[in-house]
Amino acid sequence: MKKYQRLAQQITEQIALGVWEPGDRLPSLREQVVSSGMSFMTVGHAYQLLESQGRIIARPQSGYYVAPRPVRQTPAMPPEQVMRDESVDINTYIFEVLQASRDAAVLPFASAFPDPRLFPLQQLNRSLAQVSKTATAMSVIENLPPGNAELRHAIARRYALQGMNISPDEIVITAGALEALNLSLQAVTEPGDWVIVENPCFYGALQALERLKLKALSVASDVKEGIDMDALAQALRDYPVKACWLMTNSQNPLGFTLSPEKKAQLVALLTTHNVMLIEDDVYSELYFGREKPLPAKAWDRDDMTLHCSSFSKCLVPGFRIGWVAAGKHARRIQHLQLMSTLSTSSPMQLALVDYLATKRYDAHLRRLRRQLAERKQLAWQSLLRHLPAEVKIHHNDSGYFLWLELPVGVDAGELSAKALAQHISIAPGKMFSTTNSWASFFRFNTAWGWDEREENAVKVLGALIRELIKK
Amino acid sequence: MKKYQRLAQQITEQIALGVWEPGDRLPSLREQVVSSGMSFMTVGHAYQLLESQGRIIARPQSGYYVAPRPVRQTPAMPPEQVMRDESVDINTYIFEVLQASRDAAVLPFASAFPDPRLFPLQQLNRSLAQVSKTATAMSVIENLPPGNAELRHAIARRYALQGMNISPDEIVITAGALEALNLSLQAVTEPGDWVIVENPCFYGALQALERLKLKALSVASDVKEGIDMDALAQALRDYPVKACWLMTNSQNPLGFTLSPEKKAQLVALLTTHNVMLIEDDVYSELYFGREKPLPAKAWDRDDMTLHCSSFSKCLVPGFRIGWVAAGKHARRIQHLQLMSTLSTSSPMQLALVDYLATKRYDAHLRRLRRQLAERKQLAWQSLLRHLPAEVKIHHNDSGYFLWLELPVGVDAGELSAKALAQHISIAPGKMFSTTNSWASFFRFNTAWGWDEREENAVKVLGALIRELIKK
């Protein structure tokens, strides 16, 4: 094959791969000559060949463009379905469910995020614009771990308003709470260690344990009361546990908030056993009552708690800004961060600093809490209306999840697959556990507004459940 | 202690911790009442007490402010020095060196970054401003792994211009190349596996291996010729190696670029042994010659290479945007990313898309390469002028590092400590190896401009080296 034929073939492949799409301008002859090191003659021949094959089109005074794709009748494809094969590993399953819920055509009841339209986009964009005016070349380096000093300060002040004395130096800014949690877990464990999680729990905890080759001890959690303290005490007595990863406020997926007494008890128990608490507190701002609940860390006098949170669930997920209040572990966590992602992006930190300085955050949070409460109410009413009476809807006064319980024997995974075929996503219980105890449960996100489309989707869900009950 | 005394004490502690700094406005009485749940009376008493203690100052019509700190004579402290205790683990040592090089008072010859003033801040800020006008609420969710589609497209096109056919679907956007490399390594190994690295190599590789509990096989690399192929072949024969992490262009710290023949040979050898190549190619745009060198991946026909790169060393470090062209491993890497950092921040990806669309990137790169070459030349000349003749300066035509060799017996770690005491940082050889073979070497960053201050610093380095030689 001659040189120009090889180049033409290469470009043909690139078009097939989607590197150049129909309508895209190809590199000019000159650009192609410079980048390929071939002669004008060779590149010219290659382009002529492609033109003669109808793959590209020359537009005078403009350049070469990829030709439109030939119109072809594609057979109607069945909608992509989540695999229900139990041999599929849990991560793939979670991945599939989450990917499906991102499709704009699918109702995102499976989503872990609130509707981003609830967030102050305009204000945040204004802060971003402000950063674009003031960012300096050096700001990059100033924001390496532990992260921007002003942002850590602002976070410390929010703790202070809750009566918690946390120095900005104990805080490390991370890529969302997920990085904070992962780094925290890694900071206090070695592969093979035992770690306590709740059953059910946020799937990110199970994934982190798997990723770090840790062994999970699942302790039962009640939909209203939270973790079973007797079972926890038992686990701590029977196993050499290193850490305990819990959600104390608006637990995901159940929704409970631990009582102050239970938080105090939890901290005391873990401290007695010298077990670190990794506290996932991403929903702390989404309470419905009068007062923001304290994290368990507020009861910790011995620096045994790594408190992880973020702005992702209450202000802006896309910035990927979270943090951990890590006490004496802050340094170790910075090391781990320097080794894995190096740092959080600097303009994002600066934009948050700017936004927080506008003092609009609390007003936004008040509005957000009200809207989430209203939407949850609407979703709850609709589910009560349209789902069969045998379905139990567990309800908590915070956050934006409902936890639904199908009649015994009805599989939520099967419901999920059938629902997805009709462009409705839900989060089946098996995403949240290593055991099979939650097969007939699912999590329902109520934060995405409520309209005819949602109402109809719930009707469809109701019909699907009735079918499954009959089987 | 009464309630108001407790609150006053808490605020005193917060001031001591730096949560509230001198001159900061404290929360108003009303804000404090809302957040603490205490009565106006209690909060008012607490503020009065603090005022009477001189800790806070009331300004009429404005609020309460933290009082200035009492002026105190602080004894002159010796400049912080890097610990030379060999028992200090390598990560702590690397951390200390890097932290020291961030201090604006210290000359950053130890830095891994080029001078950010070489980057097109104005253009990038313009792109950021553009994003602040066009970002939508939903853009968050559209940019979950594998990352923004347009950005992956733009990267695929840059590969295409080098004649490499890589589909946008094989590319995953990451938090800089470091996340790309870490995820790649994790995707193809299990704890306990053997991984080949170069000796010396980028310390990030050693840290990643340690973090993932992998076993390192160090293969000697030559300052001009790169990795010793015979030693590599031997290692592959003798050990069940799973992956090989190499830099093929402008290797850090040595600076060599592997010849095309050696790249081809490398890929063939690794493919024969079914060993994955994790190719760290962060300096690929910083060549000084006419043509951008190809990565080893260009010779890979069997999807055995995970090619990692980023915009951090050639455009903008603070955005933290890198990628991996991962072929069939792209999906596994997305899973791992969803578990650890979830995704890269969305406005940063959008800003890069906007910047790349301006078509100024290549002009910037041409200018950057010219400036780096000039600066390297200046630094080299200065080092030749002021360092004793016994110091060997290894020079390569790309990137912005020089690799310096002190006379046998002179310890670069000792030089580093002494230099740092005079506010000059260098990167000692022991940062780049698990063996002790590079004790008398150091890496010198030439990308930070060259002026009187730098010239003087090199004179100081020269004097320090002469002292160490005499000892």
Side-chain angles (χ1 to χ4, degrees), chain A residues 225-338:
Chain A
E225 300 300 323
I227 194 157
D228 181 327
M229 294 300 282
D230 293 333
L232 177 63
Q234 175 88 38
L236 290 168
R237 270 196 307 272
D238 294 351
Y239 290 85
V241 175
K242 276 291 183 56
C244 178
W245 173 328
L246 293 186
M247 295 190 76
T248 50
N249 297 316
S250 274
Q251 197 253 17
N252 177 6
L254 297 181
F256 64 80
T257 291
L258 283 187
S259 68
E261 296 69 34
K262 244 186 145 171
K263 284 172 182 160
Q265 210 183 332
L266 173 70
V267 168
L269 186 60
L270 293 177
T271 303
T272 307
H273 285 88
N274 201 27
V275 168
M276 295 296 302
L277 173 59
I278 294 163
E279 187 172 20
D280 175 0
D281 202 14
V282 294
Y283 300 108
S284 60
E285 300 285 5
L286 305 184
Y287 58 95
F288 290 172
R290 294 172 66 91
E291 226 173 291
K292 183 170 163 181
L294 284 166
K297 187 175 176 73
W299 282 268
D300 175 18
R301 297 282 162 266
D302 301 281
D303 213 354
M304 295 294 290
T305 306
L306 298 154
H307 183 253
C308 303
S309 191
S310 83
F311 296 99
S312 301
K313 301 290 168 41
C314 52
L315 182 66
V316 54
F319 281 20
R320 306 298 311 130
I321 303 284
W323 72 86
V324 49
K328 64 178 180 232
H329 295 275
R331 204 176 159 78
R332 167 94 180 119
I333 285 174
Q334 289 178 58
H335 282 216
L336 290 171
Q337 194 179 25
L338 270 174

Side-chain angles (χ1 to χ4, degrees), chain A residues 23 60 73 78 151 163 211 249 286 299 305 360 376 423:
Chain A
Q73 291 292 2
L151 184 55
R211 205 174 64 88
N249 297 316
L286 305 184
W299 282 268
T305 306
R360 288 163 190 265
K376 195 169 192 175
H423 297 100

Side-chain angles (χ1 to χ4, degrees), chain A residues 115-301:
Chain A
D115 183 350
R117 283 161 293 206
L118 293 172
F119 297 147
L121 181 68
Q122 234 181 352
Q123 295 295 338
L124 289 164
N125 277 346
R126 211 169 291 164
S127 291
L128 210 53
Q130 192 55 34
V131 171
S132 76
K133 283 182 207 131
T134 53
T136 65
M138 300 305 295
S139 55
V140 185
I141 296 181
E142 287 153 12
N143 292 321
L144 284 174
N148 182 280
E150 282 183 76
L151 184 55
R152 287 182 290 118
H153 240 91
I155 293 167
R157 283 167 194 194
R158 294 190 71 80
Y159 280 119
L161 282 171
Q162 285 200 289
M164 293 173 67
N165 293 355
I166 290 175
S167 159
D169 295 338
E170 299 168 39
I171 296 170
V172 183
I173 306 297
T174 56
L178 196 59
E179 189 185 31
L181 291 159
N182 271 276
L183 295 178
S184 296
L185 190 58
Q186 194 174 4
V188 301
T189 60
E190 292 289 320
D193 282 348
W194 287 100
V195 174
I196 288 176
V197 293
E198 290 162 283
N199 188 13
C201 68
F202 167 46
Y203 45 75
L206 302 175
Q207 291 176 318
L209 264 58
E210 192 192 295
R211 205 174 64 88
L212 298 170
K213 319 285 172 195
L214 298 163
K215 288 181 283 191
L217 279 176
S218 288
V219 174
S221 263
D222 176 79
V223 73
K224 285 284 174 216
E225 300 300 323
I227 194 157
D228 181 327
M229 294 300 282
D230 293 333
L232 177 63
Q234 175 88 38
L236 290 168
R237 270 196 307 272
D238 294 351
Y239 290 85
V241 175
K242 276 291 183 56
C244 178
W245 173 328
L246 293 186
M247 295 190 76
T248 50
N249 297 316
S250 274
Q251 197 253 17
N252 177 6
L254 297 181
F256 64 80
T257 291
L258 283 187
S259 68
E261 296 69 34
K262 244 186 145 171
K263 284 172 182 160
Q265 210 183 332
L266 173 70
V267 168
L269 186 60
L270 293 177
T271 303
T272 307
H273 285 88
N274 201 27
V275 168
M276 295 296 302
L277 173 59
I278 294 163
E279 187 172 20
D280 175 0
D281 202 14
V282 294
Y283 300 108
S284 60
E285 300 285 5
L286 305 184
Y287 58 95
F288 290 172
R290 294 172 66 91
E291 226 173 291
K292 183 170 163 181
L294 284 166
K297 187 175 176 73
W299 282 268
D300 175 18
R301 297 282 162 266

Side-chain angles (χ1 to χ4, degrees), chain A residues 10 13-14 18-19 24 35 95-96 125 132 153 157 163 165 182 186 211 318 320 331 335 338-339 346, chain B residues 10 13-14 18-19 24 95-96 125 132 153 157 161 163 165 182 186 211 318 331 335 339 341 346:
Chain A
Q10 204 167 57
E13 277 174 34
Q14 289 165 2
V19 174
D24 278 349
S35 72
F95 189 67
E96 303 280 356
N125 277 346
S132 76
H153 240 91
R157 283 167 194 194
N165 293 355
N182 271 276
Q186 194 174 4
R211 205 174 64 88
R320 306 298 311 130
R331 204 176 159 78
H335 282 216
L338 270 174
M339 289 184 217
S346 151
Chain B
Q10 203 168 59
E13 277 175 33
Q14 289 165 3
V19 175
D24 278 350
F95 188 66
E96 302 280 356
N125 277 347
S132 76
H153 239 92
R157 283 165 196 196
L161 282 171
N165 293 355
N182 271 277
Q186 194 174 3
R211 205 175 65 87
R331 204 177 160 76
H335 283 215
M339 289 185 219
T341 58
S346 151

Side-chain angles (χ1 to χ4, degrees), chain B residues 100-354:
Chain B
S101 74
R102 280 165 56 185
D103 182 343
V106 170
L107 280 156
F109 302 137
S111 172
F113 285 103
D115 183 349
R117 282 162 294 206
L118 294 172
F119 297 146
L121 180 68
Q122 235 182 352
Q123 295 294 339
L124 289 164
N125 277 347
R126 211 169 291 164
S127 291
L128 210 53
Q130 192 54 35
V131 171
S132 76
K133 285 181 207 131
T134 53
T136 64
M138 299 307 291
S139 55
V140 184
I141 295 178
E142 286 153 13
N143 291 320
L144 283 174
N148 181 281
E150 284 182 72
L151 183 56
R152 288 183 289 117
H153 239 92
I155 293 167
R157 283 165 196 196
R158 294 191 70 81
Y159 280 119
L161 282 171
Q162 285 200 288
M164 293 173 66
N165 293 355
I166 289 174
S167 158
D169 295 338
E170 299 169 38
I171 295 170
V172 183
I173 305 297
T174 57
L178 196 58
E179 189 184 32
L181 290 159
N182 271 277
L183 295 179
S184 296
L185 191 58
Q186 194 174 3
V188 301
T189 60
E190 291 289 321
D193 281 348
W194 287 101
V195 174
I196 288 177
V197 292
E198 291 164 281
N199 187 12
C201 69
F202 167 46
Y203 45 74
L206 302 175
Q207 292 176 317
L209 264 59
E210 194 191 293
R211 205 175 65 87
L212 298 171
K213 318 285 171 193
L214 297 163
K215 287 180 283 192
L217 280 177
S218 287
V219 173
S221 263
D222 177 77
V223 73
K224 285 285 174 217
E225 300 299 323
I227 195 157
D228 181 329
M229 294 300 283
D230 293 335
L232 178 63
Q234 176 87 38
L236 290 168
R237 270 196 307 272
D238 294 353
Y239 290 85
V241 174
K242 275 292 183 55
C244 179
W245 173 328
L246 293 186
M247 296 189 75
T248 50
N249 298 314
S250 275
Q251 195 254 17
N252 177 7
L254 297 180
F256 65 78
T257 291
L258 284 187
S259 68
E261 295 71 31
K262 247 185 140 169
K263 284 171 181 160
Q265 212 183 331
L266 173 70
V267 168
L269 186 61
L270 293 178
T271 304
T272 308
H273 286 87
N274 201 27
V275 168
M276 295 297 301
L277 174 59
I278 294 162
E279 187 172 20
D280 175 1
D281 203 13
V282 293
Y283 301 107
S284 60
E285 300 285 4
L286 305 185
Y287 58 95
F288 291 172
R290 295 171 64 91
E291 224 173 290
K292 181 171 164 181
L294 284 166
K297 187 175 176 75
W299 282 269
D300 175 18
R301 297 279 163 269
D302 301 282
D303 213 352
M304 296 292 292
T305 306
L306 298 154
H307 184 252
C308 303
S309 191
S310 84
F311 295 99
S312 301
K313 299 292 168 35
C314 53
L315 181 67
V316 54
F319 281 20
R320 307 298 311 130
I321 303 285
W323 72 88
V324 50
K328 64 178 178 231
H329 295 275
R331 204 177 160 76
R332 167 92 179 120
I333 285 174
Q334 288 179 60
H335 283 215
L336 289 171
Q337 194 179 25
L338 270 175
M339 289 185 219
S340 53
T341 58
L342 191 59
S343 78
T344 316
S345 71
S346 151
M348 297 292 87
Q349 298 184 60
L350 295 172
L352 261 187
V353 167
D354 183 87

